[in-house]
Amino acid sequence: MIIEDRERHKEEVCAMWQRNFHDPAPYAEFYFTEVYGKNEILLNLSGDSADRLTAMEAGTDREGASGELPEAEAGEIRGMLHLNPYRLFVRGKEVDAHYIVGVATDEEYRRQGVMRELLADTFHRLRERGEMLTYLMPADRDYYLPFDFRFGMCQLEQEIECFGQAGVPAYFDEFRFAAGLPEDVEAACRAENATRTGDFAICTEITPEYLSRMEKEARSDFARYVSVYQNGAYAGRFVMGAENDCLVLSQIVCVDGTRREEFLYGALSYCEQEYHYGRYQLVLDETWRDVLRQPGSYDGVRILPVKEKPIIMFRILDLEKLGASLESDSAGDDACRIFVKDAFFDEQEGSYLLQVKGRQVSFEKMSGGQTDNASAGVPDGGSVTIGALTELLFGRKEDREEKLYKGLTPEGRRILESLWPLCPVCIQEIV
């Protein structure tokens, strides 16, 4: 049975979090102090008492109105799932979405359908609110593939070693680095959002609250949030923290796309001058690919090859709503009927009228046996699974594999191939 916790079970949830994730105490304290109360916590309880617990929390349970349920009747928490609310920009349009975190099932309840029940409840809950997608950062991608999550964002990782006296860039004096939030945090948010909505098909809206929580999260993990200024103006930020034998620079944002290389290597020079760590790791979004230097030895520095790591998986909840955010590289009018298979989420499965009109795209779900004027004479586009469609709509065009088109007719394939995927994506938050 699924209930929404309202901090009634906070102590038990915290214990389950630590049993499953083993976070350092300061980080767990950050989460349960700064984040937990703003999230929706869904719990899968054993026993028949979940309905009574929900009624008690709503004040409608006659027997429990004056007290707690006896411990023996309350049921044990078998699994949990946390929903973290965010505002996203999807092709410049603001949409609400929830980031799934804290997914855990205690060992004695695993392989019993506990998480399947939680995910099914989550999908229905979010779709009913009008949300078109959800996303998560998987510990194991194979666990989420059967639920039709697919990767839609990669991050770049590159290590850099200083084996001698690294040269300081000539432009280094233009920069100023300051620990903590920007001096004018609202102006910084406006600058970041303007840059990000131009660079990404999907990105998180940056707000003062967002940056404040990021700074607290960094401190809880013994890291430091650094604001960067170039020639007196806000230039961006990054977080630096030790991990294994590297000083890791992550959450990197530069608001001037023409000066990203200066920003990146200015930040590295600052870290080396201040901390002399000698070994660094950059963690960046995909748009930095052309800025990163090729592997090799430079002036006192050895640069290792860039690694690409899939990091965020998406799940489509409402294809009709998502379709309104899509564009096609075909300027003409085109259409087909396409059947979308969704074995996990019945609301999604069915026949759709897929149309392209002047680059604008729409998926319109058709009722059973529908043969109205809009679909009369429209060619059959075949069928596609929601998982394959997610890869087509979120993955890079150059990465598309032939297997994604299985079941489609030539007409259906032609139209789907014309759609511009929702990439690149920038979702940097951890919780």
Side-chain angles (χ1 to χ4, degrees), residues 67-85:
E68 301 283 333
L69 275 176
E71 186 176 347
E73 294 182 39
E76 294 183 356
I77 300 175
R78 304 189 299 174
M80 66 179 181
L81 181 153
H82 301 215
L83 292 172
N84 196 337

Side-chain angles (χ1 to χ4, degrees), residues 2 16 20-21 42-45 77-82 100-106 109-123 136 143-144 147 149 344:
I2 310 299
M16 175 177 272
N20 285 273
F21 305 131
L42 301 184
L43 304 178
N44 190 322
L45 298 186
I77 300 175
R78 304 189 299 174
M80 66 179 181
L81 181 153
H82 301 215
I100 297 175
V101 300
V103 178
T105 305
D106 274 338
Y109 294 114
R110 292 173 187 169
R111 292 172 290 279
Q112 298 178 32
V114 170
M115 195 50 59
R116 182 182 182 88
E117 292 176 7
L118 277 166
L119 286 169
D121 184 276
T122 297
F123 295 165
L136 52 77
Y143 185 85
Y144 294 98
F147 300 105
F149 284 90
F344 188 79

Side-chain angles (χ1 to χ4, degrees), residues 197-224:
T197 52
D199 289 343
F200 302 103
I202 300 176
C203 61
T204 314
E205 181 184 35
I206 305 302
T207 64
E209 180 185 27
Y210 179 99
L211 293 183
S212 176
R213 193 166 80 177
M214 179 185 292
E215 194 270 338
K216 292 175 183 177
E217 183 176 17
R219 282 192 280 114
S220 76
D221 202 26
F222 307 102
R224 175 176 291 185

Side-chain angles (χ1 to χ4, degrees), residues 135-197:
Y135 56 103
L136 52 77
M137 184 187 299
D140 180 357
R141 69 165 198 151
D142 291 336
Y143 185 85
Y144 294 98
L145 291 176
F147 300 105
D148 291 309
F149 284 90
R150 295 296 186 272
F151 280 111
M153 174 186 158
C154 293
Q155 70 182 21
L156 307 179
E157 299 178 356
Q158 186 175 46
E159 291 189 7
I160 297 175
E161 299 173 342
C162 295
F163 56 83
Q165 186 66 37
V168 178
Y171 50 76
F172 184 72
D173 288 342
E174 297 178 10
F175 286 97
R176 178 169 64 87
F177 301 88
L181 294 174
E183 293 158 1
D184 187 339
V185 68
E186 291 187 356
C189 291
R190 289 194 296 270
E192 289 196 19
N193 286 325
T195 297
R196 290 157 65 89
T197 52

Side-chain angles (χ1 to χ4, degrees), residues 6 19 114 266 429:
R6 296 180 178 87
R19 285 196 301 273
V114 170
E429 50 271 15

Side-chain angles (χ1 to χ4, degrees), residues 54-330:
T54 303
M56 285 173 60
E57 290 170 348
T60 60
D61 185 74
R62 289 174 305 203
E63 297 178 23
S66 61
E68 301 283 333
L69 275 176
E71 186 176 347
E73 294 182 39
E76 294 183 356
I77 300 175
R78 304 189 299 174
M80 66 179 181
L81 181 153
H82 301 215
L83 292 172
N84 196 337
Y86 281 98
R87 179 69 58 87
L88 301 180
F89 290 111
V90 179
R91 290 258 161 82
K93 179 182 177 182
E94 293 186 26
V95 302
D96 291 323
H98 280 78
Y99 180 27
I100 297 175
V101 300
V103 178
T105 305
D106 274 338
E107 189 170 358
E108 62 267 34
Y109 294 114
R110 292 173 187 169
R111 292 172 290 279
Q112 298 178 32
V114 170
M115 195 50 59
R116 182 182 182 88
E117 292 176 7
L118 277 166
L119 286 169
D121 184 276
T122 297
F123 295 165
H124 289 283
R125 189 180 293 254
L126 298 182
R127 180 185 169 100
E128 286 177 359
R129 295 177 193 168
E131 298 186 20
M132 62 187 181
L133 60 85
T134 187
Y135 56 103
L136 52 77
M137 184 187 299
D140 180 357
R141 69 165 198 151
D142 291 336
Y143 185 85
Y144 294 98
L145 291 176
F147 300 105
D148 291 309
F149 284 90
R150 295 296 186 272
F151 280 111
M153 174 186 158
C154 293
Q155 70 182 21
L156 307 179
E157 299 178 356
Q158 186 175 46
E159 291 189 7
I160 297 175
E161 299 173 342
C162 295
F163 56 83
Q165 186 66 37
V168 178
Y171 50 76
F172 184 72
D173 288 342
E174 297 178 10
F175 286 97
R176 178 169 64 87
F177 301 88
L181 294 174
E183 293 158 1
D184 187 339
V185 68
E186 291 187 356
C189 291
R190 289 194 296 270
E192 289 196 19
N193 286 325
T195 297
R196 290 157 65 89
T197 52
D199 289 343
F200 302 103
I202 300 176
C203 61
T204 314
E205 181 184 35
I206 305 302
T207 64
E209 180 185 27
Y210 179 99
L211 293 183
S212 176
R213 193 166 80 177
M214 179 185 292
E215 194 270 338
K216 292 175 183 177
E217 183 176 17
R219 282 192 280 114
S220 76
D221 202 26
F222 307 102
R224 175 176 291 185
Y225 181 112
V226 179
S227 296
V228 184
Y229 303 86
Q230 188 171 18
N231 294 322
Y234 179 72
R237 38 89 175 176
F238 62 91
V239 170
M240 61 178 181
E243 186 173 321
N244 299 325
D245 60 344
C246 285
L247 189 66
V248 179
L249 277 65
S250 62
Q251 309 285 2
I252 301 171
V253 172
C254 173
V255 298
D256 185 348
T258 66
R259 310 196 74 171
R260 296 174 105 195
E261 185 172 0
E262 295 176 14
F263 179 96
L264 186 61
Y265 295 106
L268 281 167
S269 296
Y270 161 76
C271 292
E272 176 62 12
Q273 285 194 346
E274 290 291 314
Y275 302 102
H276 308 291
Y277 218 87
R279 187 178 181 90
Y280 300 90
Q281 182 185 53
L282 301 174
V283 178
L284 299 150
D285 66 68
E286 298 174 67
T287 61
W288 290 84
R289 191 183 309 274
D290 294 338
V291 175
L292 296 176
R293 294 178 184 173
Q294 294 298 311
S297 294
Y298 297 84
D299 183 15
V301 172
R302 179 181 297 110
I303 296 180
L304 304 182
V306 176
K307 297 178 182 178
E308 185 174 294
K309 180 180 177 182
I311 191 74
I312 296 291
M313 299 180 87
F314 288 91
R315 213 294 179 184
I316 299 174
L317 301 176
D318 192 325
L319 181 57
E320 288 183 286
K321 289 194 172 183
L322 183 73
S325 300
L326 299 173
E327 296 178 356
S328 170
D329 59 14
S330 173

